[in-house]
Amino acid sequence: MNNFSFSYSVTQSLKGLWRNRVMSLASILVLVSCMLVLGTFYALNLNINYNLDDLTLLNEVAAFVDEDCTGEEIEQVRQQIVAMDDLVNDVEYISKEMALEAEKEKFKDYPALFATLQDGANPYRASFMITYKDASLIEDLEYKLGQISIERTVVAEDGTESVTLVYPVDKVTSYTEIAETLENLRDGVRNVLLGFMAILFVVSMFIIVNTIRIAVFTRQKEIAVMRYVGATNGYIITPFVFEGIFMGLIAGILAFLVEWLIYDRAAAIITSQYRIFSVVGFGSFALLLAFSFLLIGLFAGVSGSMISIARYLKEKE
Amino acid sequence: MIEFKNVTKKYQNGTVALDNVNLKINDGEFVFIVGESGAGKSTLTKLLLREETVTSGQITVTAKTNEKTEYFDLGNLSASKIPYYRRKLGVVFQDFRLFPDKTVYENIAFVLRVVGKSPRTVKRNVQTLLKRVNLADKASCYPDELSGGEQQRVALARALANDSSIIIADEPTGNIDPVMSYDIMNLLIYIQQKFGKTVIVVTHEKELVDYFKQRVVTIKRGKIVDDRVGTMFETSEQEEASGKII
Ligand SMILES: Nc1ncnc2c1ncn2[C@@H]1O[C@H](COP(=O)(O)OP(=O)(O)O)[C@@H](O)[C@H]1O
Ligand SMILES: [Mg+2]
């Protein structure tokens, strides 16, 4: 395509959009709604995942250890856990202080939550966060963690020393059930998401095909004459494809802006009302969203317009 | 040169519109194609425009321009080549087929843009073309501000726009008053004589044909029944009965 026919195509397509403005606007709005539904489900999915990760419910258990353990003992426990290499992938020790700091960091916007704590008071417990290998062996793991023992030398009041065996892991919390529920929810959301993607695709195509078909229909005679004077199919089709592209891109941009607005509103409400739920910042997926919306718009525009004009360009065999 | 060899066109509904037609038209020739309504004249032009394809037989077109000679076998023309073939032809219809929302100037400029001419070439060529059909002063008019004859002259200018070597006019005077009809025919003959283009005019207006004394090909029920220079061939019942048809 040379410069002349490019600018021709652009002006023709803009004229076409304007001539058909009611239909064009309607298709843009339908496209926007489809994209919004898609975007919202995507954001929901993202947030569920984020919170699942955040609560480390997926393949971790927390083994809480005896308050009295010394640093040396903790190290012994750690080594014993590491030794269970058929069950355990990774072990991380989280001290009382670390646990408190982590929570403070997580809720740093709400210092009031921690204001009631007395100086030096720390309600959190030291624990090992253990990433396991196989969820079906979780009971084995729990049992073995309970069996971990260390020798502790106790000095009695009278000064005599005695060695006792202690089982420092006193509580194992696994969240398999909650995790399963949340995972199911996430899978459900993902399926709905995929379903919506399919529907979005069909609806957008249908809308664009229809709008461009009207545009083509109103210019049918013009197209016929263009063919008589030797216009190539590419030349004839381009303005219509551009028309579709413009509609798709405008819809993509609008959908992005609206999604942004809605999401920020929802995020503000959720974070102020349900503090435990962390909300993913819009910025972290804005680019992906914008890109997807534009791509969907582009694709719907190109294929929709091609479909609607193809039969007017078919030569007899 | 245009050559129809044993061309038969049978439409899907079974109508045989052309039946074993053989016809040769030389470069720079002027030909009237005449015949009653339904004889198959438009079918012949549609085949030539590659809007329809033959059921059997062969149509070949050799198009000469200043630079080169190109040969087309319409039966073996790929879809992507069709637009380029059509640029060798200029076509005029009974109903003009101008764009009502474009000015005279734009109606012609449009064709030049289709074939990728630069804006400057477009401007220059449109002006030349408008002069050629005597409409230089109507460039900014819209088609509905023109008479039928003027509209057809715009259509003719458009047909000449892409420097086609063959002009095909299907009933060009069908919607025009008789006086203006002579004008249009004169213009078509002028184009043939002055620019050496091959001109094919389909019509059923006997008086007009007789007046211009050109080659006349008569089609009847899909067959060529006469081909002569001069006046229009007329078949009467008696002639048919006595078997004088060629
Ligand atoms: N697309 C078509 N489908 C079926 N029959 C057609 C079609 N076009 C023309 N015909 C028939 O073919 C015959 C010749 O038509 P046409 O070439 O238009 O004649 P003319 O132009 O001489 O009046 C007529 O009987 C007409 O009804
Ligand atoms: Mg006809």
Side-chain angles (χ1 to χ4, degrees):
Chain A
M1 195 184 337
N2 62 33
N3 286 340
F4 313 130
S5 52
F6 182 80
S7 59
Y8 157 84
S9 295
V10 171
T11 44
Q12 282 302 308
S13 60
L14 291 177
K15 271 185 200 165
L17 279 180
W18 181 245
R19 202 173 327 168
N20 249 334
R21 53 193 173 274
V22 176
M23 269 305 284
S24 306
L25 193 68
S27 2
I28 289 172
L29 290 184
V30 172
L31 256 175
V32 167
S33 346
C34 288
M35 288 174 180
L36 282 181
V37 170
L38 183 75
T40 305
F41 271 89
Y42 175 74
L44 201 60
N45 192 45
L46 196 68
N47 274 290
I48 291 176
N49 266 340
Y50 182 67
N51 281 278
L52 279 174
D53 291 349
D54 192 45
L55 296 168
T56 62
L57 295 178
L58 276 182
N59 53 350
E60 280 188 349
V61 293
F64 293 96
V65 288
D66 191 347
E67 299 265 332
D68 306 327
C69 285
T70 63
E72 200 181 306
E73 287 170 342
I74 294 291
E75 181 53 27
Q76 283 178 33
V77 175
R78 202 186 67 82
Q79 277 169 12
Q80 290 191 47
I81 298 174
V82 169
M84 304 175 192
D85 54 3
D86 52 335
L87 296 171
V88 172
N89 250 345
D90 195 31
V91 186
E92 193 191 350
Y93 178 68
I94 300 184
S95 68
K96 279 170 77 78
E97 294 71 32
M98 285 160 76
L100 178 64
E101 281 315 305
E103 287 303 286
K104 276 186 175 167
E105 175 61 24
K106 186 171 158 193
F107 294 105
K108 63 170 179 282
D109 294 337
Y110 309 98
L113 281 177
F114 302 95
T116 50
L117 292 177
Q118 303 287 318
D119 272 347
N122 183 346
Y124 296 95
R125 296 192 53 193
S127 65
F128 283 98
M129 296 305 291
I130 300 163
T131 316
Y132 51 80
K133 281 191 166 147
D134 187 346
S136 62
L137 298 176
I138 188 94
E139 280 171 13
D140 267 19
L141 179 64
E142 282 180 23
Y143 175 75
K144 285 194 173 168
L145 289 171
Q147 291 303 305
I148 290 174
S149 61
I150 48 172
E151 288 175 355
R152 183 181 286 169
T153 313
V154 185
V155 183
E157 275 175 19
D158 59 2
T160 53
E161 292 187 358
S162 60
V163 175
T164 53
L165 208 56
V166 266
Y167 297 93
V169 175
D170 60 5
K171 187 178 163 205
V172 178
T173 318
S174 74
Y175 301 91
T176 39
E177 262 175 43
I178 310 169
E180 253 166 45
T181 319
L182 279 173
E183 276 183 325
N184 284 344
L185 180 64
R186 183 190 56 185
D187 289 350
V189 168
R190 190 177 38 223
N191 290 341
V192 172
L193 186 70
L194 288 175
F196 265 111
M197 250 156 95
I199 294 170
L200 163 78
F201 184 72
V202 173
V203 172
S204 334
M205 292 284 281
F206 180 79
I207 290 299
I208 295 211
V209 165
N210 256 314
T211 307
I212 308 255
R213 186 167 286 163
I214 290 170
V216 173
F217 189 78
T218 55
R219 293 183 59 205
Q220 214 174 358
K221 286 183 178 168
E222 203 169 327
I223 291 171
V225 173
M226 285 169 92
R227 297 180 71 198
Y228 280 127
V229 300
T232 57
N233 284 352
Y235 186 87
I236 299 173
I237 208 173
T238 317
F240 296 105
V241 175
F242 278 21
E243 212 170 309
I245 290 176
F246 279 135
M247 282 196 278
L249 293 187
I250 291 170
I253 292 166
L254 278 179
F256 177 77
L257 295 177
V258 174
E259 182 82 37
W260 190 357
L261 215 74
I262 294 176
Y263 190 86
D264 269 1
R265 265 290 157 78
I269 292 169
I270 289 169
T271 40
S272 66
Q273 310 237 325
Y274 311 95
R275 291 177 176 173
I276 30 150
F277 201 81
S278 357
V279 178
V280 180
F282 185 74
S284 65
F285 64 100
L287 210 66
L288 179 73
L289 200 69
F291 186 71
S292 316
F293 282 178
L294 291 182
L295 206 68
I296 292 170
L298 198 72
F299 190 75
V302 170
S303 40
S305 50
M306 299 272 238
I307 290 173
S308 46
I309 195 174
R311 71 194 174 104
Y312 290 92
L313 301 179
K314 213 167 157 58
E315 296 287 357
K316 290 232 166 68
E317 290 299 323
Chain B
M1 191 176 70
I2 298 165
E3 194 164 9
F4 282 62
K5 275 187 212 147
N6 306 321
V7 170
T8 295
K9 173 65 187 176
K10 188 176 177 180
Y11 285 108
Q12 291 212 305
N13 63 3
T15 312
V16 178
L18 287 181
D19 185 3
N20 198 31
V21 165
N22 285 286
L23 178 66
K24 210 184 253 189
I25 298 169
N26 287 315
D27 287 339
E29 214 179 343
F30 188 106
V31 187
F32 281 120
I33 309 274
V34 302
E36 291 161 10
S37 170
K41 309 182 293 296
S42 292
T43 301
L44 192 138
T45 62
K46 281 177 190 158
L47 289 173
L48 202 49
L49 287 166
R50 188 50 176 78
E51 195 185 329
E52 293 286 350
T53 47
V54 298
T55 310
S56 64
Q58 189 189 32
I59 302 173
T60 55
V61 176
T62 314
K64 257 192 206 145
T65 54
N66 291 337
E67 304 105 56
K68 57 183 173 192
T69 304
E70 280 174 272
Y71 172 83
F72 300 92
D73 178 350
L74 301 199
N76 286 326
L77 204 55
S78 70
S80 60
K81 287 255 172 62
I82 292 176
Y84 301 96
Y85 164 67
R86 288 196 182 125
R87 292 178 192 183
K88 309 292 168 204
L89 314 173
V91 58
V92 175
F93 299 97
Q94 179 172 0
D95 55 1
F96 322 133
R97 302 200 192 171
L98 300 174
F99 303 135
D101 56 346
K102 283 187 165 79
T103 62
V104 166
Y105 181 94
E106 280 301 318
N107 263 286
I108 298 167
F110 148 87
V111 183
L112 293 160
R113 292 196 195 110
V114 161
V115 295
K117 293 280 197 291
S118 72
R120 196 193 308 166
T121 316
V122 170
K123 202 168 176 192
R124 199 181 43 223
N125 287 14
V126 173
Q127 274 152 0
T128 316
L129 288 161
L130 283 176
K131 266 184 220 141
R132 203 167 281 172
V133 296
N134 262 327
L135 284 174
D137 55 335
K138 303 273 186 189
S140 54
C141 292
Y142 285 88
D144 63 4
E145 297 166 340
L146 303 178
S147 74
E150 285 169 332
Q151 287 187 53
Q152 195 59 297
R153 268 148 55 198
V154 177
L156 196 53
R158 183 178 68 186
L160 295 169
N162 52 14
D163 212 20
S164 42
S165 54
I166 300 162
I167 303 292
I168 301 164
D170 191 349
E171 312 257 6
T173 58
N175 283 346
I176 298 174
D177 64 76
V179 182
M180 287 302 250
S181 296
Y182 283 88
D183 238 36
I184 293 290
M185 287 300 178
N186 269 318
L187 203 51
L188 283 162
I189 288 175
Y190 171 78
I191 286 162
Q192 177 241 348
Q193 290 176 345
K194 178 87 188 288
F195 306 106
K197 296 191 191 275
T198 308
V199 177
I200 301 168
V201 178
V202 170
T203 182
H204 59 261
E205 290 175 61
K206 182 182 179 338
E207 279 179 30
L208 218 55
V209 172
D210 287 348
Y211 177 86
F212 287 101
K213 308 219 165 14
Q214 299 285 333
R215 179 179 172 194
V216 184
V217 173
T218 309
I219 300 183
K220 186 164 188 175
R221 291 197 204 109
K223 286 185 194 298
I224 292 185
V225 292
D226 190 65
D227 188 348
R228 67 169 78 180
V229 176
T231 51
M232 189 168 166
F233 176 76
E234 251 185 318
T235 47
S236 66
E237 295 304 310
Q238 293 95 319
E239 279 173 316
E240 251 180 87
S242 59
K244 269 174 72 181
I245 300 164
I246 302 150

